[in-house]
Amino acid sequence: MSTYPRVSVVIPAYNVRSYLEDALISLEHQSFQAFEAIVVDDGSTDGTADLVEQFCQRDPRFRLVTKPNGGLSSARNYGIRQAQAEYIAMLDGDDRYEPDKLANHVARLDRDPQIGVVYSASKIIRDDGQQSWMSLSGKPIFSDALVSLLCKNFIGNGSNAMFRRALVDEVGEFDETLRSSEDLDFWLRVAATRRWRFYRESQALCCYRVRSSGLSFNVAQMQRSHEQVLQAAYLRSPEQIEPWLPTAYAYMYRLLARLALTGGDTRQAQQLMQQAWDCDRSIFYRDPRSLLTLLAVKFAPIAKQLIERSLGKSQRLDIAKSIQSREL
């Protein structure tokens, strides 16, 4: 086994002990062995550190770092600052990798120096770890990565990407002031450089867990964060971004409508869907998933039952996870 890590896997963890073992075992089972796993305990109160120490004691590739709670971006940045490898992989504490995830992405980055970010399709797993019928394809909706990301985060979830450490030096860290959409903001900054390609592996190598809970969420707060990200993208590349802003806002309202529907607020979902229609109604005949969202809002009671049954729970989806999903 090589003692030199080619990949630093950063695992932010906040009170996910019941899921974290599954994530860390998926790293132990990787076919690619030259990695380090940096678990960032972001002020957990559920004994997360005790669990991680068990892995550290039996495998020197695992490392535990602790910090006061500061949120997802803060934990990711903290881990990246301590990373030793040239490639960074992200893995949230309640998700997991398929065995060839690291091997596949390292090989791709090694072969093509123009690729800055590599990711894959993702499986959607339920709260109990079983695979659902849903998945994330990761297909961009436009050929231009910047325009595609402006409208939809095709990477799909925070556990999916591996990227070159050099990108952080070039575009900066994850924005810790954002309450959501922080991953989208980071990818948009990378795309705006026009120096780096995004590569999608069609094989599903990431397992993205959607958990159940009775929590509600603040759509208005999410909207503010998303608008902040769009405005920042516009200021970086005004001539390229301005023609696409109506479409980008239409997709934003569509996303918010889907989350409002998932949270059980049908009226709010309908209002947001109307705003999407007013911004750019063409998304509903150009993008099948947008049309499905429109139909789901129209037939809300049926759609809600289908979502709940597919995840094996009769509760609302965990919004902390659903916020990050762009294609559910």
Side-chain angles (χ1 to χ4, degrees):
M1 182 187 302
S2 172
T3 58
Y4 174 71
R6 298 289 317 287
V7 183
S8 295
V9 185
V10 176
I11 307 113
Y14 176 67
N15 288 345
V16 288
R17 178 183 172 128
S18 59
Y19 305 101
L20 184 58
E21 185 173 13
D22 198 20
L24 300 185
I25 288 175
S26 80
L27 289 176
E28 287 186 320
H29 292 169
Q30 288 297 299
S31 58
F32 184 86
Q33 295 288 299
F35 69 86
E36 63 171 352
I38 305 171
V39 183
V40 183
D41 182 358
D42 191 36
S44 298
T45 58
D46 64 347
T48 285
D50 295 335
L51 173 66
V52 179
E53 285 291 358
Q54 298 174 26
F55 284 82
C56 296
Q57 290 173 10
R58 69 180 187 235
D59 190 334
R61 295 176 300 175
F62 288 81
R63 181 153 48 109
L64 171 67
V65 295
T66 61
K67 61 180 289 296
N69 180 254
L72 183 59
S73 290
S74 173
R76 284 174 175 166
N77 290 338
Y78 195 80
I80 290 172
R81 289 170 199 150
Q82 303 186 54
Q84 303 178 62
E86 60 181 320
Y87 301 149
I88 305 292
M90 311 302 297
L91 176 61
D92 287 349
D94 49 358
D95 296 332
R96 65 175 186 247
Y97 286 161
E98 291 293 291
D100 291 330
K101 174 76 169 175
L102 296 182
N104 179 287
H105 292 355
V106 168
R108 181 61 58 181
L109 289 171
D110 282 349
R111 281 198 299 269
D112 192 338
Q114 293 184 329
I115 294 174
V117 182
V118 60
Y119 67 102
S120 70
S122 298
K123 300 174 182 177
I124 301 295
I125 58 176
R126 307 186 314 186
D127 187 86
D128 61 5
Q130 297 299 308
Q131 186 174 344
S132 76
W133 59 268
M134 296 185 290
S135 64
L136 305 176
S137 71
K139 292 181 180 179
I141 57 177
F142 300 108
S143 59
D144 186 313
L146 179 61
V147 173
S148 285
L149 285 165
L150 196 70
C151 299
K152 186 191 294 186
N153 183 0
F154 50 74
I155 291 175
N157 65 83
S159 296
N160 198 14
M162 182 185 295
F163 56 92
R164 299 181 189 275
R165 171 67 180 271
L167 268 62
V168 178
D169 298 330
E170 184 170 346
V171 306
E173 298 179 327
F174 288 91
D175 188 343
E176 297 181 18
T177 68
L178 291 169
R179 299 295 297 273
S180 63
S181 304
E182 68 287 330
D183 52 344
L184 174 61
D185 174 71
F186 183 77
W187 305 132
L188 280 167
R189 280 185 274 141
V190 172
T193 68
R194 296 299 191 182
R195 294 185 58 244
W196 300 104
R197 289 175 49 210
F198 291 74
Y199 183 87
R200 180 183 75 95
E201 169 58 54
S202 60
Q203 182 182 0
L205 298 173
C206 179
C207 297
Y208 172 65
R209 191 188 307 263
V210 178
R211 296 187 278 139
S212 299
S213 82
L215 297 178
S216 62
F217 62 101
N218 189 331
V219 170
Q221 177 179 288
M222 292 170 56
Q223 180 176 338
R224 285 193 295 271
S225 291
H226 202 119
E227 288 178 337
Q228 184 177 338
V229 169
L230 294 181
Q231 178 64 17
Y234 168 74
L235 292 175
R236 283 190 297 269
S237 313
E239 293 184 0
Q240 294 173 304
I241 297 300
E242 186 172 16
W244 291 98
L245 282 179
T247 305
Y249 274 90
Y251 273 104
M252 179 194 73
Y253 287 124
R254 188 217 65 164
L255 170 65
L256 295 173
R258 178 170 289 177
L259 296 178
L261 178 62
T262 300
D265 193 335
T266 302
R267 182 177 180 182
Q268 185 179 40
Q270 292 170 341
Q271 292 172 342
L272 289 163
M273 191 57 70
Q274 182 61 53
Q275 290 178 278
W277 182 273
D278 293 340
C279 284
D280 185 357
R281 66 190 64 182
S282 72
I283 71 170
F284 298 107
Y285 59 78
R286 285 191 292 128
D287 181 2
R289 289 184 180 271
S290 294
L291 178 60
L292 287 174
T293 303
L294 180 65
L295 294 174
V297 171
K298 185 174 181 60
F299 301 103
I302 298 174
K304 186 172 183 292
Q305 290 179 17
L306 289 174
I307 292 172
E308 290 171 347
R309 288 177 183 175
S310 70
L311 296 170
K313 297 284 185 178
S314 296
Q315 297 175 331
R316 297 176 185 175
L317 300 184
D318 179 357
I319 302 309
K321 295 293 293 182
S322 297
I323 287 171
Q324 297 176 14
S325 175
R326 308 301 184 215
E327 296 185 281
L328 276 176

